[in-house]
Amino acid sequence: MVTKVYGFDILIQSVYLAKMPKLRIRLIFPMLIVIASTLSSCSTQNSANGAPAVNAKATFTAHGSDLEAYVLGAKPNEKLTLVDNAGKAIANGVADRLGSFIFRNLNAGPGYYVKSQIGAKVYGTSTFAVLDPNVNPPESFYSAQHMQVGLNYIKMRDGVTLAATLRLPPGKTLADGPFPTVIEYSGYATAAPGNLLNQLLGQKQTGNLPAPDSATVVGSLLAPILGFASVSLQMRGTGCSGGAFDLFGQLTTTDGYDAVQIVSSQPFVKNHKVGLVGISFSGISQLFVAGDRPPGLAAIAPMSPTNDLYQIGFPGGIMNNGFAQQWEQQRVADSKPAPGGGQPWATQMIDLGDKTCLSNQALHLQILNIDALMSTVSHRDPSLYDIRSPDLWASNINVPVFIAGQFQDEETGGQIANILTYLKNDPHVFATLDNGTHVDSMGPGVLIRWLEFLDIYVADEVPSESPLFLTIASQMYNHLTGSQGGTLPPMRFTNAPNVTTAKAEFEQQTPRVNVLFDNGGNALNPGIMDPLWSQGFSSWPPTSEITTSYYLGPTGTLSTTKPSTTSSLSYNPNPDLVPRTDLPSGNAWAALPPYKWLPTPSGAGLGFITKPFSSNMTVVGPASLNLWIKSSAPDTDVQVDVTEVLPNGQEMYVQSGWLRASDRSLDSSKSTALHPVPTYLASTASPLPANVFTEIRVPILPIGFAFRAGSRLRIVISAPGDDRPAWAFKTFETYGKVKDTVEIGPAGESALVLPVVPGITPLDSQPPCPSNRGEPCRIYVPESNGG
């Protein structure tokens, strides 16, 4: 398109730029800056649409960012107007108490400025360019920045600086480099420059420097011990980093790109390639950054990430006002400006005289409050969620990936396995999945393989053992779970003659998907991090799976044989009758948490159960509960729990699924017989028809479980609640007056559809109940319908 900018006709080919090769983009970026700078020096900022012309230079400044513009140094409550390159006022704002404001959702291009009128005076800034996130700076922008050991402030493409702490292996200096290098990137207290090990041991910090959050243990402690230089990168708008926090917004990705390029250009970095590491928050961020393909990135190793923010915030379309909302609220609190708010380590650094940390607080009040947005809109808004979806960024990843997650993760959710379908075009993906909690991705069955991967794909070295690492890992397990943890397996490939051979052997011996079973099932030490057996697969879901339907029967049976007659069963969903979670207090990561997983009260749910299995049955992959349902209410929330009932009458939790019936419309391009994918769009939502049975398909989170001979498979259908340690649901209040009815038989073939993988024999006996991590137990109590 052609736009008029103060007498200059500028051709902005934004669509072309977005599709250009990176080489052309890097050449275009400095040209745009030159154009914008020229306009700034030549512009007279003429009036448009009758608005007064600028007649004085503003005391505040305005700057371009990725599809945004930010103002610094205005007076509190000063009224600000953003003017585009055609001289048209396009947005207004009011400076916050720190004199800052951010204009969002702008079009990229040069010639913007900000003005403010006070009486006859119209104050204007210099013109600036709003940046296109697809246009990256030249390599010289990155290589001109130099880092030292300790806390650094590195400049992003929009001028904002992020706190980044460089930590070296113990006893090493920069003169000992170059080092294999990793980055850990999150909005926790990541870049706090103190020593985490000293903090955990209760020892005094050198110079009273604040220690990083224990959630950064992977980058701030484990990586240096293993011989890696590690950069702890503080997310924009948090801690001592400048800018405004926007949870996984576009700037999360472009900041990560810039940081990878800055760090990889440093002389202390071996091969000028870095890896990304971390668990949870710093696991999720890796998927965004890798999806942007920074050239300096060697590989990523995310632990316990998630695949989609909507699916955490609204499982099945039902608001998760437990962990998800609480976590988002904590991130909002963390982003407030210091001193007096935000992260304590930032206040400590300011008290120690860090002027950059203090000045970087200026934009912290301009947070994009994702919690407020999610609380007001229950349906999936693509404009809000797509840019924040790890799934969509994962499809663009082209570096080696080591990813680990748990089917029962109480924080980020068990749907992590679904991201593997978006990584299908990356040939070097190594996933480990197991039963367990959020921290089990650092368990013995994972951690050594993770280290092998980092040695080979980031360090470009033959794997080597670290006795100190083994000692620290044992102490870490005791700290996390209150128990020792299982034995770490031996490091492989240590005798390989070179890294090329080690890599070939790693790829030959490491399956694309490795499922660990019965983690915690050790009868002598129940609940410790210790998977008892594993099974490798070449794809996800496994190609060997057999889609197997278990039909709901009129007397609470669950059978592969279809009922011959049509009937129905009813229940009164009532979330008030059960606790919101199954762990009201205690540590979910402990060996044996004090779960209170209660039977569904009589009449408040339906149960269906198989006959005892004559042989073992292993289920691996996502599943679906296909229900023909009608309700006395226009909408209803459905929860299904999948369990195993042991011969001794104990019942072990396996997995869950949820769906708000009005969100039953499926995305046909993504859904399969085993994996229904609702659109969750407001435009496709509709109430249940009155007095008519309607099919809904409840997505069940991925499963990795072996049902043993002699046991029975059971499902319980109810209102949401009391099946997760930290997730809770803002479900419909029914007061027991709503009646949901399920149709059974030929007219409505309600069925549980499972991915059964034949030919797998468990290598251990039936784990005691309780023992398996993330899989609580209770006494089996039949529902009122008999199942």
Side-chain angles (χ1 to χ4, degrees), residues 423-447:
L423 290 167
K424 62 184 178 182
N425 294 324
D426 188 335
H428 299 108
V429 173
F430 308 97
T432 302
L433 306 170
D434 65 350
N435 64 281
T437 66
H438 192 56
V439 298
D440 282 83
S441 56
M442 294 193 296
V446 183
L447 207 54

Side-chain angles (χ1 to χ4, degrees), residues 325-619:
Q325 186 177 53
Q326 293 164 10
W327 187 83
E328 289 158 6
Q329 291 170 346
Q330 290 167 0
R331 304 289 69 74
V332 171
D334 264 5
S335 68
K336 294 185 182 301
Q343 296 178 347
W345 81 272
T347 296
Q348 289 178 258
M349 293 305 300
I350 292 169
D351 289 344
L352 290 171
D354 190 332
K355 294 181 180 179
T356 303
C357 182
L358 178 60
S359 64
N360 272 352
Q361 307 302 306
L363 282 166
H364 280 213
L365 289 174
Q366 291 298 305
I367 177 178
L368 183 66
N369 193 332
I370 191 76
D371 174 60
L373 292 173
M374 293 179 69
S375 298
T376 56
V377 181
S378 63
H379 289 100
R380 186 184 181 94
D381 179 352
S383 67
L384 175 65
Y385 286 103
D386 282 1
I387 196 69
R388 297 173 174 84
S389 171
D391 272 347
L392 299 185
W393 287 96
S395 63
N396 201 42
I397 293 174
N398 64 350
V399 295
V401 178
F402 183 97
I403 187 168
Q406 293 67 241
F407 296 116
Q408 294 82 20
D409 191 313
E410 78 285 357
E411 296 185 9
T412 52
Q415 69 273 11
I416 177 57
N418 294 334
I419 204 170
L420 298 180
T421 59
Y422 292 87
L423 290 167
K424 62 184 178 182
N425 294 324
D426 188 335
H428 299 108
V429 173
F430 308 97
T432 302
L433 306 170
D434 65 350
N435 64 281
T437 66
H438 192 56
V439 298
D440 282 83
S441 56
M442 294 193 296
V446 183
L447 207 54
I448 291 296
R449 303 295 169 249
W450 169 82
L451 177 53
E452 293 170 352
F453 174 86
L454 291 181
D455 277 348
I456 292 171
Y457 291 96
V458 178
D460 195 31
E461 297 172 357
V462 173
S464 60
E465 294 184 340
S466 167
L468 179 58
F469 172 70
L470 298 178
T471 301
I472 293 294
S474 177
Q475 294 176 351
M476 179 181 70
Y477 294 143
N478 198 44
H479 173 76
L480 292 172
T481 70
S483 60
Q484 188 68 21
T487 302
L488 288 163
M491 181 84 71
R492 303 176 298 176
F493 322 120
T494 56
N495 294 323
N498 52 57
V499 69
T500 301
T501 301
K503 181 182 294 186
E505 292 177 351
F506 180 91
E507 293 177 358
Q508 182 181 26
Q509 298 180 34
T510 308
R512 186 175 181 88
V513 181
N514 193 32
V515 178
L516 309 181
F517 291 87
D518 296 337
N519 178 27
N522 189 316
L524 297 178
N525 294 291
I528 67 169
M529 288 183 174
D530 189 20
L532 300 186
W533 59 287
S534 66
Q535 181 69 42
F537 301 96
S538 61
S539 66
W540 183 270
T543 55
S544 55
E545 68 184 15
I546 297 174
T547 301
T548 305
S549 295
Y550 283 86
Y551 297 93
L552 281 58
T555 58
T557 58
L558 200 57
S559 172
T560 54
T561 301
K562 299 178 182 180
S564 58
T565 60
T566 299
S567 60
S568 63
L569 293 168
S570 299
Y571 67 103
N572 300 106
N574 190 348
D576 293 334
L577 297 181
V578 296
R580 282 168 49 82
T581 71
D582 63 9
L583 190 64
S585 62
N587 179 13
W589 305 342
L592 294 175
Y595 289 113
K596 292 186 178 179
W597 181 42
L598 304 177
T600 303
S602 179
L606 298 174
F608 299 88
I609 191 167
T610 66
K611 293 180 179 179
F613 291 116
S614 59
S615 60
N616 299 321
M617 182 181 76
T618 302
V619 176

